[in-house]
Amino acid sequence: MRSDPGQRSVIPALTGLRIVAALAVVAFHLREEPLAGLLPGLAQQLDFAVYGGLGVDLFFTLSGFILSLNYLDAFARLRRRALVRFLCMRLARIYPVHVVTLLAMVVIVAVTPEVATTASGGEVYSAEAFVANVFLVQAWGTSDFTWNYPAWSISAEWFAYLVFPFLAFVMCRWGLARATWAYAGLVVTVVGGIAALATSAGSGFEPLIRVATEFSTGCLLYVLHRETPLGQGLAAGARLAVILAASIVLTVALDGNLYTLAPALALVIWGIARTRGPLARLLSSRSMVFGGEASYALYMTHVVVITALSHLLPTADYTHEQLFIRIAVTGVYVASIAVVALLTYKYVERPARRWIRRQLSSD
């Protein structure tokens, strides 16, 4: 296993899986605006989209797995320089697009003040919430759905990044019994996390509990992946299935939220990472991998686009129009989301990330 964090290890199928997660979240939001107003019949047929929020949970688990793949051994010893470099590299990944989308929301609110007046309690677009977003702490025990509200998950993810080096340090100390410790860790993480989520519903700390449970699950899953020989993958998967089936039973018993089922998504990641079947090959295709690489821009920009279009092209103005007009308006929403995401990826995310990494390399 490499310990050089400057070089990335990639499992293409898992990169492709990211666009699936992002599209699930987009479908979740599109079902409300514009589909509910323009194509209510289609919106009803897309009942499965209510599960789209689990795309965020899939992101959290994937993030733990991929960061462990690339950085686990780098933190076998804790060095200040390695810690600073790691956190700067993570900021290079998430912060430029976050800032651009946050400023875009500022412009939208300034140009269309009615956006702010429709926000409940006036807190969504407050100056306090803006400052919290700038420092990526809006999901740390406060109101998390503010400004470009999908960024709540980036705030939670930033918390996970701060904790990861110390978690990796502990996992590197497990020695030859790593697989055993990983199974035990999964039991504690999944059971404890689900119980905490079920009892903290509606509290300000729910996002942090959510990311801690799912990100840690991803990290532990990677340890099992690395420590399990290829020929033993099925047996290890069966043991994982038992743990995660127990999590579903616990969720039902505690009447937990939908996303307390998210640890079961670990089985999806396990299967894709361990096999070369048709699904893995599809997710590894060039188009899916490109989609996965652009998925963060899609995730971060789609609500900005929907918010802007809801005032430039309000669905209420077209609800009684002929079907082809309503389909055309819906198409404008979908096409705008795709175009803005691609432009953001090409002209914001990639150049900014390369520039920041060059600065780090020159130090």
Side-chain angles (χ1 to χ4, degrees):
M1 175 68 191
R2 289 181 300 94
S3 61
D4 178 10
Q7 302 294 323
R8 292 182 61 223
S9 291
V10 176
I11 298 177
L14 294 184
T15 301
L17 185 60
R18 286 167 47 193
I19 189 59
V20 176
L23 289 173
V25 177
V26 173
F28 176 71
H29 291 138
L30 281 176
R31 184 173 177 268
E32 300 299 323
E33 179 77 30
L35 290 180
L38 296 177
L39 301 170
L42 178 59
Q44 291 176 2
Q45 295 299 317
L46 294 178
D47 280 345
F48 65 87
V50 299
Y51 299 99
L54 288 172
V56 176
D57 304 281
L58 182 56
F59 271 127
F60 286 157
T61 309
L62 264 174
S63 182
F65 188 98
I66 297 300
L67 280 187
S68 297
L69 170 66
N70 283 282
Y71 291 96
L72 179 63
D73 288 343
F75 294 113
R77 295 178 60 187
L78 291 176
R79 299 183 179 90
R80 184 179 65 85
R81 183 178 178 83
L83 285 169
V84 171
R85 179 176 174 80
F86 168 76
L87 293 176
C88 287
M89 294 283 280
R90 292 295 88 207
L91 279 177
R93 175 73 178 87
I94 65 173
Y95 202 67
V97 172
H98 170 59
V99 169
V100 168
T101 54
L102 178 59
L103 294 178
M105 287 301 302
V106 171
V107 172
I108 292 172
V109 171
V111 173
T112 55
E114 61 269 23
V115 173
T117 60
T118 57
S120 59
E123 298 178 355
V124 174
Y125 301 113
S126 68
E128 180 183 357
F130 177 82
V131 172
N133 272 266
V134 169
F135 289 98
L136 286 174
V137 296
Q138 70 268 32
W140 295 19
T142 59
S143 178
D144 49 308
F145 288 158
T146 58
W147 292 93
N148 181 31
Y149 59 82
W152 75 264
S153 63
I154 307 306
S155 171
E157 186 90 355
W158 176 239
F159 174 81
Y161 293 161
L162 293 172
V163 172
F164 173 76
F166 306 97
L167 177 60
F169 176 77
V170 171
M171 291 191 294
C172 285
R173 290 290 177 276
W174 285 345
L176 296 177
R178 277 185 182 178
T180 302
W181 280 107
Y183 280 120
L186 275 171
V187 172
V188 173
T189 299
V190 171
V191 173
I194 288 174
L197 281 168
T199 56
S200 67
S203 75
F205 292 99
E206 186 177 297
L208 295 187
I209 297 172
R210 188 173 169 185
V211 73
T213 301
E214 294 156 5
F215 184 88
S216 298
T217 296
C219 294
L220 294 164
L221 190 69
Y222 170 71
V223 173
L224 284 178
H225 170 71
R226 191 170 81 168
E227 298 299 318
T228 303
L230 285 177
Q232 299 178 20
L234 186 60
R239 288 191 288 270
L240 275 175
V242 170
I243 295 172
L244 299 174
S247 76
I248 295 175
V249 173
L250 182 62
T251 295
V252 174
L254 294 175
D255 194 25
N257 293 316
L258 173 66
Y259 48 74
T260 57
L261 295 173
L265 296 172
L267 279 178
V268 176
I269 297 172
W270 175 267
I272 291 173
R274 303 285 301 187
T275 66
R276 299 294 181 269
L279 178 59
R281 289 197 297 272
L282 173 63
L283 292 172
S284 299
S285 65
R286 182 177 299 180
S287 58
M288 293 297 289
V289 170
F290 175 79
E293 291 170 348
S295 62
Y296 176 64
L298 173 63
Y299 175 76
M300 289 294 288
T301 59
H302 77 280
V303 165
V304 177
V305 175
I306 291 173
T307 303
L309 287 178
S310 68
H311 294 275
L312 294 173
L313 203 63
T315 57
D317 292 351
Y318 300 92
T319 52
H320 300 295
E321 295 289 346
Q322 296 181 27
L323 178 60
F324 78 91
I325 294 178
R326 288 183 279 129
I327 291 174
V329 173
T330 302
V332 170
Y333 272 76
V334 173
S336 299
I337 288 171
V339 169
V340 171
L342 290 172
L343 291 175
T344 302
Y345 173 65
K346 183 174 181 179
Y347 294 109
V348 177
E349 182 180 350
R350 289 177 63 188
R353 187 167 67 228
R354 285 197 298 262
W355 183 84
I356 294 172
R357 288 180 173 177
R358 279 199 302 268
Q359 305 311 305
L360 292 174
S361 299
S362 63
D363 289 343

